[in-house]
Amino acid sequence: MRRRFLYVANDWTRASQLRATPGIGASMAEYVEWQIRFFRGIGSVLRQQIDYRPYPHEYGWHMAERISDLFPEIRIRKPNRVLRRFERELWYYDGLIVDHLGTCFLQVLAAQRPVLVFWKPEWFPLRDSMKAYFAELRRLGVYHETPEQAAEQL
């Protein structure tokens, strides 16, 4: 039986926000490039096992279209067509891939589902009290600081 993975992406507004999103706002183009680097790194066989779930709101980056154009073998799970909630959806997959420190990552951890996470540390700086936990996640092969490391782990 072939395994299926859900890639959970995020999106950020192109305009400034009143509250600063740690480091990612001005780096959105780089964030998109990190996704592309990850998908290139896993190869076409694994890409066929990926469902890509973009953020429910489109802020002008057209991320699902970019991924689909570059990697047509990846199935796009547009949230407006997927009526089930993420908390239920995560149980349909053998593992989840999350490229940002956000609610979905915490939900996957709380549900004790297999997860692979990666993001640039400067985008989501960790509190000192959390660094030991993420060091352990890194040691276990769960948390990575580059898309290439995450792709190699998958």
Side-chain angles (χ1 to χ4, degrees), residues 24-40:
I24 194 72
S27 303
M28 189 60 187
E30 187 179 6
Y31 171 76
V32 173
E33 183 59 33
W34 271 49
Q35 290 185 359
I36 293 167
R37 287 168 49 193
F38 174 79
F39 289 128
R40 283 190 178 132

Side-chain angles (χ1 to χ4, degrees), residues 2-148:
R2 209 164 88 167
R3 299 182 315 159
R4 299 277 330 154
F5 300 96
L6 181 64
Y7 186 106
V8 183
N10 209 334
D11 200 347
W12 284 270
T13 178
R14 295 172 76 97
S16 303
Q17 299 178 11
L18 292 177
R19 67 174 180 82
T21 303
I24 194 72
S27 303
M28 189 60 187
E30 187 179 6
Y31 171 76
V32 173
E33 183 59 33
W34 271 49
Q35 290 185 359
I36 293 167
R37 287 168 49 193
F38 174 79
F39 289 128
R40 283 190 178 132
I42 63 172
S44 63
V45 173
L46 276 175
R47 284 194 298 263
Q48 293 172 27
Q49 298 173 21
I50 302 282
D51 287 359
Y52 179 90
R53 186 181 198 273
Y55 191 70
H57 305 287
E58 170 60 53
Y59 291 115
W61 293 101
H62 308 288
M63 299 186 38
E65 290 81 6
R66 289 177 192 223
I67 296 301
S68 182
D69 288 347
L70 290 169
F71 309 106
E73 64 273 28
I74 294 175
R75 186 171 142 189
I76 305 296
R77 300 287 304 220
K78 291 198 176 185
N80 62 346
R81 291 177 40 209
V82 179
L83 299 178
R84 59 189 144 190
R85 295 178 49 86
F86 178 72
E87 296 87 357
R88 284 181 274 171
E89 188 175 19
L90 64 86
W91 293 97
Y92 293 106
Y93 293 91
D94 298 300
L96 290 95
I97 304 158
V98 182
D99 64 7
H100 60 282
L101 177 56
T103 305
C104 289
F105 170 58
L106 299 176
Q107 288 173 309
V108 173
L109 284 181
Q112 299 180 357
R113 299 293 296 149
V115 63
L116 179 69
V117 296
F118 68 96
W119 58 76
K120 190 173 186 177
E122 294 81 17
W123 292 340
F124 304 102
L126 298 172
R127 293 180 184 176
D128 288 341
S129 61
M130 296 305 297
K131 289 181 180 176
Y133 296 107
F134 277 84
E136 181 66 5
L137 290 174
R138 186 179 301 112
R139 186 187 73 74
L140 294 170
V142 172
Y143 169 62
H144 303 275
E145 294 183 350
T146 71
E148 292 79 13

